Amino acid sequence: MSDQLRPRASLRTAVVWEVLKDALDRQVKSAGRDALDVLDTGGGTGNFAVPAARLGHHVTVVDPSPNALFALERRAAEAGVADRVRGVQGDILGLFDVVERGGFDAVLCHGVLEYVDDPAEGVRNAVAALRPSGALSLLAAGLGGAVLARALAGHFTEARQALTDPAGRWGEGDPVPRRFTAEQLAELVSGAGLEVGAVHGVRVFADLVPGVLVDTEPGAMDALLKLEAAVAELSAFHSVATQLHVLGEKRP
């Protein structure tokens, strides 16, 4: 896929990218440097790392998959930012085996907490990687979105199972090990010593709208993107979002 956000991909990334870009701009002003040091834990093939590098920042991607890191290297080279993107094999629970503590202006932790044994430790490690006044971008699967999706698909027992399961799973075949509410993610961030700057619902409608409508109806994609942006900060919609994004910031 091209790094110019394709329409379908932008439904999944646009809201988070705009929040992240604004946070990076604030970090640039507070740090007094044009180029920040950014850590992307679980950054995979560089969906956020490469665009961040295009802004001039130096990005270290930590990911357990050698294949993903290989794809990241190729993608960064194609985008002309190979000198600003570094891939390292590792994971967030063993983060300081591969990167230094307190060495980054911003840390991205996207799609990671669902898969680790101890989400609280993962967030603490992410925070420990930050410099004073650093920012944490946290993205994780939302409980309410899964409940709604199973119910709309007619799987009512599975929807209820997800609602009552401690990990938010709808059954044995559920590919996601853990889901969160907005309150749970905010507590993880504040519990690690950060101030919760903003909470956003991501993919509130995008996963529910038939793909054929979005792809064929003139103007539908743009209208849906604008709708997603409009509801992202409204707490009433956080409970039905497929993903939840929390921005945490260190105060000097």
Side-chain angles (χ1 to χ4, degrees):
M1 180 191 293
S2 166
D3 289 312
Q4 297 299 325
L5 292 178
R6 290 182 177 178
R8 177 67 66 178
S10 66
L11 284 173
R12 296 179 170 85
T13 60
V15 168
V16 178
W17 173 246
E18 288 304 316
V19 176
L20 178 60
K21 185 176 180 298
D22 287 345
L24 293 176
D25 288 345
R26 289 196 301 274
Q27 290 297 311
V28 164
K29 292 177 181 177
S30 65
R33 291 180 282 113
D34 290 335
L36 302 176
D37 294 310
V38 179
L39 173 64
D40 190 353
T41 64
T45 61
N47 285 341
F48 288 93
V50 169
R54 277 184 167 145
L55 295 177
H57 305 307
H58 300 283
V59 187
T60 299
V61 176
V62 175
D63 197 278
S65 169
N67 290 337
L69 293 174
F70 178 77
L72 167 71
E73 182 179 356
R74 183 175 65 243
R75 186 175 188 176
E78 291 173 352
V81 294
D83 59 328
R84 294 196 292 274
V85 177
R86 179 173 72 105
V88 181
Q89 189 172 2
D91 60 57
I92 197 165
L93 296 187
L95 190 59
F96 301 115
D97 293 334
V98 294
V99 300
E100 63 175 311
R101 291 178 182 270
F104 299 91
D105 302 291
V107 174
L108 282 58
C109 183
H110 296 171
V112 172
L113 296 188
E114 299 93 323
Y115 301 95
V116 299
D117 293 333
D118 189 343
E121 181 183 354
V123 175
R124 287 194 298 269
N125 282 356
V127 172
L130 287 171
R131 291 173 176 149
S133 301
L136 169 66
S137 175
L138 183 64
L139 181 69
L143 171 62
V147 174
L148 184 61
R150 300 316 289 175
L152 291 179
H155 303 300
F156 307 121
T157 301
E158 291 180 349
R160 187 173 183 276
Q161 170 68 18
L163 189 62
T164 57
D165 184 75
R169 304 186 74 234
W170 48 256
E172 292 290 332
D174 192 338
V176 179
R178 185 182 290 104
R179 295 183 178 87
F180 302 86
T181 64
E183 292 76 17
Q184 288 171 334
L185 289 178
E187 286 175 7
L188 286 173
V189 170
S190 60
L194 297 189
E195 180 176 316
V196 176
V199 179
H200 294 84
V202 181
R203 289 155 58 188
V204 174
F205 303 108
D207 293 344
L208 304 176
V209 176
V212 65
L213 171 63
V214 177
D215 294 334
T216 61
E217 187 72 21
M221 177 66 73
D222 185 56
L224 181 54
L225 283 168
K226 290 179 180 177
L227 178 61
E228 289 281 352
V231 303
E233 287 192 70
L234 301 179
S235 59
F237 291 92
H238 294 168
S239 59
V240 294
T242 298
Q243 291 181 310
L244 295 163
H245 181 254
V246 177
L247 183 69
E249 298 179 283
K250 266 190 176 182
R251 298 302 183 192

